[in-house]
Amino acid sequence: MRTLVGAALIALVLTQPAVVVQGEEQFRPNGLVVLMTDYGTDSIYMGIIKGAIYSKFMGARIDSITNDVPPFDIVAGAYLLVEAAGEYPKGTVFVTIVDPGVGTERKSIVVESKNGYCFVGPDNGLMTLAAEKFGIKQVRELTNKQLWRAETTSTVFHGRDIYGPVGASLASGVPVEEAGPALQTITKLDLKRSAVANGAASGTVMRTDPYGNIVSNITSADLQSLGIALGDSVNVSLGASQWTAPFKRTYAEVPEGERLVVVQSSGFVEFAINKGSLADAIKEGFGAKVTVSKAK
Amino acid sequence: MRTLVGAALIALVLTQPAVVVQGEEQFRPNGLVVLMTDYGTDSIYMGIIKGAIYSKFMGARIDSITNDVPPFDIVAGAYLLVEAAGEYPKGTVFVTIVDPGVGTERKSIVVESKNGYCFVGPDNGLMTLAAEKFGIKQVRELTNKQLWRAETTSTVFHGRDIYGPVGASLASGVPVEEAGPALQTITKLDLKRSAVANGAASGTVMRTDPYGNIVSNITSADLQSLGIALGDSVNVSLGASQWTAPFKRTYAEVPEGERLVVVQSSGFVEFAINKGSLADAIKEGFGAKVTVSKAK
Amino acid sequence: MRTLVGAALIALVLTQPAVVVQGEEQFRPNGLVVLMTDYGTDSIYMGIIKGAIYSKFMGARIDSITNDVPPFDIVAGAYLLVEAAGEYPKGTVFVTIVDPGVGTERKSIVVESKNGYCFVGPDNGLMTLAAEKFGIKQVRELTNKQLWRAETTSTVFHGRDIYGPVGASLASGVPVEEAGPALQTITKLDLKRSAVANGAASGTVMRTDPYGNIVSNITSADLQSLGIALGDSVNVSLGASQWTAPFKRTYAEVPEGERLVVVQSSGFVEFAINKGSLADAIKEGFGAKVTVSKAK
């Protein structure tokens, strides 16, 4: 999987608008610095990066989307970021770090989005989906060391040394333009979307959750185009398992312990067991292939 | 266990006072929005609900009791809530979500307590013990959609769509009365208390902790009524295990690796191993039956 | 290990300066109360201590280094504290709790450091390395009960009853001197440093991380004194395993799945697998013995 991801890295040329497009929002910092990393929920790295942020901007309000992104997994991180970021108010700075290439030639960037967010982190594709969803207003390479941590810069912890402090600087009101020179491109992952063909929708598992629910990248629109309506039976093939389950509004509409198909809160198709863990039951997770069709 | 809990759901009629009773405290928000959920410590759902709260009230100060309530377990959540909530200052809004019935006909409510807290969440019994301990001043059903998330409401994530935003609204100063119409009842769990009979106190395990200590709902008063004093030996029967251990003030009063009985910080009887994990040693946990008596 | 730690507890006499030494910084609270405990990342104890802190000082800004210190492990905690604390701004109050001796005769203290921090917790050696690194300006025993939790004090949860509230009090501006009488000593652990002899550096594992990297207390200076330069091959003996790996600047300088030696962000020698978990591969962790030498 990781090899495939590496191979899928492609650079897209972005057209920089000469003037602010109508309807775009200015980034005006609201003080929030919101982390999403693979540092581990409560690891020492979290304690360190938060200290580095406060040291740069004592007024920072630090919070997190999650720091439990699977280690090194840029694709998983890209999905998690785009699912959560949009809930935050305009003016939020996101510090997003899944960075297996730390210390190599990959760039460090900030993306200001068209809806008034900033995303700070390595330019390795992690921001692919967020950039698509929110639009790119400008990209800057993080070369201005005055916004970095005051002390020496390590080769292995750019969260502490660069991303945290730059995020804090932006949250404190430093203009995005001061982060460094403009870039015309960001690195994007070539992520597959779901597809509908021959009476079936196919996709992949984007994530599981602590209940054991399994979320795919198949959309509610895909179900609609297959003529699958609430109450219909759905044939599911997921990884090595196949089953048929009803399409329901919510979990408790099937008896405890039974399977269902549901549209989750971001509009994606989710597979679940009422009050049980489907992920444990079928031992499948991130990256597994999924196909759904209407049962006859 | 969960079936039993479901069966134990009963509705109690609450008498609403026509005027504020002497000695009650007014809820005056202090800005804190404190979460207790089964979303998982650092899951994407935490990242999302926090964004939804900030989007409703940028000044919210978000913190958590715990988001590691066992999935779907309303009884476990009720115990955890009542143990921690009382430590928080008056004016705190608690957003409490263990909601296996999300999207069904169960109501969504806010309980204003007599000591100046608000509890926001599903009306499924989760607030049973907190309501008993702090007293109910008023209950409102959450029908005012102006306090909800601005965008569409899902059938499966009412934390994001309703409870988080309503909690944020109350923390921002929206009067509790604006949440929706008054209710006369909340759903309560019929939770068993400890009992003393025939020279023994019996109860159940309320929780274990990260050290492997096991906390029961037997109280220090129960020990007293059995004539058990510090230094006495206590016969313990817990799940499938039996042993005798001394009743001590604190862990280090027995040698490393040995068992003891102690009254923990909320006044409940706890079973422990000094610098060891009793839960690992006897493989027992939440819901197990416990009996203690004075050893001859 | 724990027995050895207990045996290694020694009391060092500290000379209290009669006047403030030139270059010392005054502790001026910045409002941050930063926790480091073995309470467990998201346990109910975290929910409780945070409530107790807010109740003492509603303006407290609570954050954490980590609350996932291995249970009861004072040595592991001492290493984690000193690695992270220095990143925080001056004026931060650290509440540091790994306290297997809670409720016994061990003292409760606050250490004001020469660089403007306060450390609040049990006097059991947990602050050893932080006190060495930042210098001790004064030590006070926590006897002033006005700074404690208002309600009764338990024998088993001094985080809630003493350390949290005292930390909050100091963060709110209560002078350190009001915490209690001055002490001349703190308890210190006799922690072994790395050593270089006979062409090899030897030390112990200080911690692993969520990626499975293994961090030792061998320093970059040790490597230098052995004549080991970037690109050189290094013989490693760690616990029961031996291998040879290159000394590199960062992970991605070796192929995926291969081992390397790297200097991590605090200047210590770390052993890793690029995009893999060395800790899982060799089943070693905290406390294991390590030796490195230059490969011929």
Side-chain angles (χ1 to χ4, degrees):
Chain A
M1 167 55 78
R2 282 169 191 150
T3 309
L4 288 174
V5 169
L9 286 171
I10 57 172
L12 299 191
V13 177
L14 304 171
T15 307
Q16 293 298 320
V19 295
V20 174
V21 169
Q22 283 290 359
E24 286 186 18
E25 298 202 27
Q26 185 74 25
F27 169 74
R28 289 192 189 82
N30 61 27
L32 282 174
V33 178
V34 176
L35 299 159
M36 191 200 74
T37 75
D38 68 346
Y39 286 173
T41 297
D42 195 21
S43 78
I44 188 72
Y45 303 129
M46 291 308 304
I48 291 171
I49 193 174
K50 288 184 287 185
I53 290 169
Y54 287 126
S55 284
K56 203 70 179 184
F57 176 39
M58 189 55 220
R61 300 178 63 194
I62 305 176
D63 219 318
S64 291
I65 289 178
T66 179
N67 297 294
D68 192 31
V69 178
F72 318 120
D73 205 325
I74 297 167
V75 175
Y79 281 125
L80 292 166
L81 179 60
V82 76
E83 184 170 353
E87 293 300 322
Y88 283 80
K90 309 311 174 197
T92 297
V93 176
F94 296 94
V95 173
T96 63
I97 311 173
V98 179
D99 193 15
V102 60
T104 64
E105 74 291 343
R106 65 99 187 82
K107 289 192 176 79
S108 294
I109 59 171
V110 53
V111 171
E112 182 183 350
S113 67
K114 289 186 175 173
N115 69 333
Y117 292 148
C118 278
F119 296 89
V120 177
D123 180 30
N124 61 12
L126 184 61
M127 301 175 191
T128 300
L129 296 171
E132 270 183 31
K133 178 171 181 177
F134 304 116
I136 296 179
K137 187 167 168 186
Q138 65 170 326
V139 185
R140 297 277 165 170
E141 185 173 5
L142 308 183
T143 58
N144 180 357
K145 294 193 178 186
Q146 293 197 313
L147 309 189
W148 297 12
R149 180 176 181 254
E151 294 78 27
T152 51
T153 304
S154 76
T155 52
V156 293
F157 196 178
H158 286 183
R160 179 194 70 178
D161 300 336
I162 303 177
Y163 305 132
V166 169
S169 298
L170 297 174
S172 78
V174 172
V176 180
E177 290 74 11
E178 292 192 14
L183 292 177
Q184 300 304 313
T185 62
I186 73 166
T187 301
K188 291 201 174 191
L189 302 172
D190 183 22
L191 295 169
K192 291 279 180 300
R193 304 305 164 94
S194 64
V196 175
N198 305 322
S202 56
T204 59
V205 171
M206 293 197 302
R207 62 173 176 82
T208 59
D209 73 16
Y211 304 102
N213 302 326
I214 298 178
V215 180
S216 73
N217 66 346
I218 298 174
T219 65
S220 60
D222 293 338
L223 293 191
Q224 225 169 345
S225 76
L226 293 172
I228 298 175
L230 283 170
D232 286 348
S233 282
V234 181
N235 293 325
V236 182
S237 171
L238 197 161
S241 296
Q242 286 84 34
W243 68 93
T244 300
F247 175 36
K248 292 290 192 180
R249 281 178 62 259
T250 188
Y251 310 103
E253 292 184 347
V254 300
E256 212 171 304
E258 295 202 1
R259 295 180 188 190
L260 72 152
V261 176
V262 71
V263 172
Q264 54 84 265
S265 52
S266 304
F268 292 104
V269 173
E270 175 183 310
F271 308 94
I273 291 177
N274 182 26
K275 286 194 176 181
S277 170
L278 179 61
D280 283 356
I282 66 173
K283 313 283 180 207
E284 298 282 356
F286 177 71
K289 299 287 168 203
V290 197
T291 307
V292 299
S293 59
K294 191 172 179 175
K296 306 299 164 195
Chain B
M1 168 57 78
R2 282 169 190 151
T3 309
L4 288 174
V5 169
L9 286 171
I10 57 172
L12 299 191
V13 177
L14 303 171
T15 307
Q16 293 297 320
V19 295
V20 173
V21 169
Q22 283 290 359
E24 286 185 16
E25 298 202 28
Q26 185 74 24
F27 169 73
R28 289 192 188 83
N30 61 27
L32 282 174
V33 178
V34 176
L35 299 160
M36 191 200 74
T37 75
D38 68 346
Y39 286 173
T41 297
D42 195 22
S43 78
I44 187 72
Y45 303 129
M46 291 308 305
I48 291 171
I49 193 174
K50 288 184 287 186
I53 291 169
Y54 287 126
S55 284
K56 203 70 179 185
F57 176 39
M58 188 55 220
R61 300 178 63 193
I62 305 176
D63 219 318
S64 292
I65 289 177
T66 178
N67 297 294
D68 192 32
V69 178
F72 319 121
D73 205 325
I74 297 167
V75 175
Y79 281 125
L80 291 167
L81 179 60
V82 75
E83 185 170 352
E87 293 299 322
Y88 283 80
K90 308 310 174 197
T92 297
V93 176
F94 296 94
V95 173
T96 63
I97 311 172
V98 179
D99 193 15
V102 60
T104 64
E105 75 292 342
R106 64 98 187 84
K107 289 193 176 78
S108 294
I109 59 171
V110 52
V111 171
E112 182 183 350
S113 66
K114 289 186 176 173
N115 69 334
Y117 292 148
C118 277
F119 297 89
V120 176
D123 180 30
N124 61 12
L126 184 61
M127 301 175 191
T128 301
L129 295 171
E132 270 182 31
K133 178 170 181 178
F134 304 116
I136 296 179
K137 187 167 168 185
Q138 65 171 326
V139 185
R140 297 277 165 169
E141 185 172 4
L142 307 183
T143 57
N144 180 357
K145 295 194 177 185
Q146 293 196 313
L147 309 189
W148 297 11
R149 180 175 181 254
E151 294 77 28
T152 51
T153 303
S154 76
T155 52
V156 293
F157 196 178
H158 286 183
R160 178 195 70 177
D161 301 336
I162 303 176
Y163 305 132
V166 169
S169 298
L170 297 175
S172 78
V174 171
V176 180
E177 290 74 11
E178 292 192 15
L183 292 177
Q184 300 304 311
T185 63
I186 73 165
T187 301
K188 291 203 175 191
L189 302 171
D190 183 20
L191 295 169
K192 291 279 180 299
R193 305 305 164 95
S194 65
V196 175
N198 304 322
S202 56
T204 60
V205 170
M206 293 197 302
R207 61 173 177 82
T208 59
D209 73 16
Y211 304 102
N213 302 326
I214 298 178
V215 181
S216 73
N217 66 346
I218 298 174
T219 66
S220 59
D222 294 338
L223 293 191
Q224 225 170 344
S225 76
L226 293 171
I228 298 176
L230 284 170
D232 286 348
S233 282
V234 180
N235 292 325
V236 182
S237 171
L238 196 161
S241 296
Q242 287 83 34
W243 67 92
T244 300
F247 174 35
K248 292 290 192 180
R249 281 177 64 257
T250 189
Y251 311 103
E253 293 183 347
V254 300
E256 212 171 305
E258 295 202 2
R259 295 181 188 189
L260 71 153
V261 176
V262 71
V263 173
Q264 55 84 263
S265 51
S266 303
F268 292 104
V269 173
E270 175 183 310
F271 308 94
I273 291 177
N274 182 26
K275 286 194 176 180
S277 170
L278 179 62
D280 284 356
I282 66 173
K283 313 283 180 207
E284 298 281 356
F286 177 71
K289 298 287 168 204
V290 197
T291 307
V292 299
S293 60
K294 191 172 179 175
K296 305 300 165 195
Chain C
M1 168 56 77
R2 281 169 190 150
T3 310
L4 288 174
V5 170
L9 285 172
I10 56 172
L12 299 190
V13 177
L14 304 172
T15 307
Q16 293 298 320
V19 295
V20 173
V21 169
Q22 283 290 359
E24 286 185 16
E25 298 202 27
Q26 185 74 25
F27 169 73
R28 289 191 189 83
N30 60 27
L32 282 174
V33 178
V34 176
L35 299 160
M36 191 200 74
T37 75
D38 68 345
Y39 286 173
T41 297
D42 195 21
S43 78
I44 187 71
Y45 303 129
M46 291 308 305
I48 291 171
I49 193 174
K50 288 185 287 186
I53 290 169
Y54 287 125
S55 284
K56 203 70 179 186
F57 176 40
M58 189 55 219
R61 300 179 62 195
I62 305 176
D63 219 318
S64 291
I65 289 178
T66 179
N67 297 294
D68 192 31
V69 178
F72 318 121
D73 205 326
I74 297 167
V75 175
Y79 281 124
L80 292 166
L81 179 60
V82 76
E83 184 170 352
E87 293 299 322
Y88 283 80
K90 308 311 174 196
T92 297
V93 176
F94 296 94
V95 173
T96 63
I97 311 172
V98 179
D99 193 15
V102 61
T104 63
E105 75 291 342
R106 64 98 187 83
K107 290 193 177 80
S108 294
I109 59 171
V110 52
V111 171
E112 182 183 350
S113 67
K114 289 186 176 173
N115 69 333
Y117 291 148
C118 278
F119 296 89
V120 176
D123 180 30
N124 60 12
L126 184 61
M127 301 175 191
T128 300
L129 295 171
E132 270 183 30
K133 178 170 181 177
F134 304 116
I136 296 178
K137 187 167 168 185
Q138 64 171 327
V139 185
R140 297 277 165 169
E141 185 173 4
L142 308 183
T143 57
N144 180 358
K145 295 194 178 185
Q146 293 196 315
L147 309 189
W148 297 12
R149 180 175 181 254
E151 294 77 26
T152 50
T153 304
S154 76
T155 52
V156 293
F157 196 178
H158 286 182
R160 178 194 71 178
D161 301 336
I162 303 176
Y163 305 132
V166 169
S169 298
L170 298 174
S172 78
V174 172
V176 180
E177 289 74 11
E178 292 192 14
L183 292 177
Q184 300 304 313
T185 63
I186 73 166
T187 301
K188 291 202 176 191
L189 302 172
D190 183 21
L191 294 169
K192 291 278 180 299
R193 305 306 164 94
S194 64
V196 175
N198 305 322
S202 56
T204 59
V205 171
M206 293 198 301
R207 61 173 176 82
T208 59
D209 73 16
Y211 304 101
N213 302 326
I214 298 178
V215 180
S216 73
N217 67 345
I218 298 174
T219 65
S220 59
D222 293 338
L223 293 191
Q224 225 169 343
S225 76
L226 293 172
I228 298 175
L230 284 170
D232 287 348
S233 282
V234 180
N235 293 324
V236 182
S237 171
L238 196 161
S241 296
Q242 287 84 34
W243 68 92
T244 300
F247 174 36
K248 292 290 192 180
R249 282 178 63 258
T250 188
Y251 310 103
E253 293 183 347
V254 301
E256 212 170 305
E258 295 203 2
R259 295 180 188 189
L260 71 152
V261 176
V262 70
V263 172
Q264 55 83 265
S265 51
S266 303
F268 292 104
V269 173
E270 175 182 310
F271 308 94
I273 291 176
N274 182 26
K275 286 193 176 181
S277 170
L278 179 62
D280 283 356
I282 66 173
K283 313 283 180 207
E284 299 281 355
F286 177 71
K289 298 288 168 202
V290 197
T291 307
V292 299
S293 59
K294 191 171 179 175
K296 306 300 163 195

